[in-house]
Amino acid sequence: MSQGLVWYVSYGSNMHRDRLACYLQGGRPPGAFVTYPGARNSAPPLAEMGIELPGSIYFAGSSTVWGGGGMAFYDHHVPGPTPAKAYLITAQQFADVADQEMNRPPSSDNPLETLACELPVGSAHSVGPGGYETLLVLDRADSIPMVTFTAPHGSDAVTHTIPGEPYLTMLRLGVEEVISVSTVGSVSTLNSVAATPRPAAAQV
C-alpha cells in the first residue's frame, strides 16, 4: 500500500506547503509549539493543485500546536465553497500526516493507509473519535482518490472557537498558494476535477 497514490485534499493550515513539509520531512512550523518527526517516507509531494470544495470549514476546540485557539475542520454538509489544496502523495504519507495531526508518531497500524485507496467516492469512515480520524473520499482525479480527514461530527455539534493568529497566518499563506496554483479547479459536484496539476515546489 505504501506505493499507492492519493490526492490529499488539505483545507486548513496544511494548504501552506512549508507547513505540510513539517509533516513529511519533520520540523516545527513558525509560531508552533510542536516539532514533528516527519513521515516514514519524507519525499515531497509529486504535484499539487488548488481546488474548491463544496462544503465549509469551521473552527473548534483548542490547539496545543498553536498555543490555543480553534482548529479548522471540514463539514461537507454545510454549503461552501471553501478553498483547498490537493497534494499528490502516497497513501502511507497520508496516513502519517493523519497520525501526526492526532499527536501520534507515524505507524503502520493506521488503517487510513488502506482505506484511502479502497473506499468508493462519497464514503465517510471514522477510524477513531479524534478530530482528524474521519476519512472522506471526495472524488477521483485520473483514477487517483481525492481524500481528506476531519472530525466525525458536523459543525453544528460543537462550540465554535476563534483561531489564534499564528494559525490564521498559516491559513492565509495557504490560501495565497491555492490561488497561485489554481486554474481554478473544482470538485463542487464531486464528479469532476478541472484543475491542472502542477509539479510540487521544492520543500524546505
Side-chain angles (χ1 to χ4, degrees):
M1 282 306 303
S2 62
Q3 298 305 309
L5 294 177
V6 300
W7 285 103
Y8 162 43
V9 180
S10 61
Y11 53 81
S13 63
N14 289 355
M15 290 186 292
H16 184 30
R17 65 175 64 95
D18 288 349
R19 196 272 188 271
L20 180 73
C22 293
Y23 282 130
L24 298 180
Q25 300 173 353
R28 178 182 295 193
F33 291 85
V34 173
T35 299
Y36 296 96
R40 289 168 286 168
N41 175 358
S42 62
L46 297 172
E48 62 183 59
M49 59 181 173
I51 63 174
E52 191 174 81
L53 290 173
S56 294
I57 64 169
Y58 63 97
F59 298 94
S62 180
S63 173
T64 57
V65 174
W66 303 103
M71 300 168 286
F73 300 96
Y74 176 64
D75 189 337
H76 57 298
H77 296 298
V78 176
T82 195
K85 189 198 283 186
Y87 295 99
L88 186 60
I89 59 177
T90 69
Q92 183 191 83
Q93 288 177 310
F94 174 73
D96 288 354
V97 172
D99 270 333
Q100 292 173 90
E101 285 277 17
M102 292 303 302
N103 301 312
R104 296 190 297 253
S107 168
S108 60
D109 294 333
N110 192 332
L112 289 183
E113 182 176 338
T114 300
L115 293 171
C117 294
E118 292 185 348
L119 292 178
V121 171
S123 297
H125 186 90
S126 294
V127 299
Y132 297 107
E133 292 187 303
T134 296
L135 172 71
L136 299 179
V137 184
L138 303 168
D139 204 344
R140 284 182 177 267
D142 297 326
S143 299
I144 298 174
M146 303 188 73
V147 295
T148 194
F149 40 70
T150 187
H153 49 69
S155 62
D156 59 352
V158 293
T159 300
H160 293 195
T161 54
I162 299 173
E165 189 55 39
Y167 187 77
L168 282 175
T169 296
M170 284 289 165
L171 202 151
R172 291 187 192 105
L173 291 170
V175 171
E176 290 175 3
E177 289 181 5
V178 166
I179 294 171
S180 72
V181 299
S182 295
T183 54
V184 171
S186 174
V187 291
S188 58
T189 59
L190 292 184
N191 61 16
S192 65
V193 179
T196 301
R198 307 288 182 89
Q203 305 298 308
V204 297

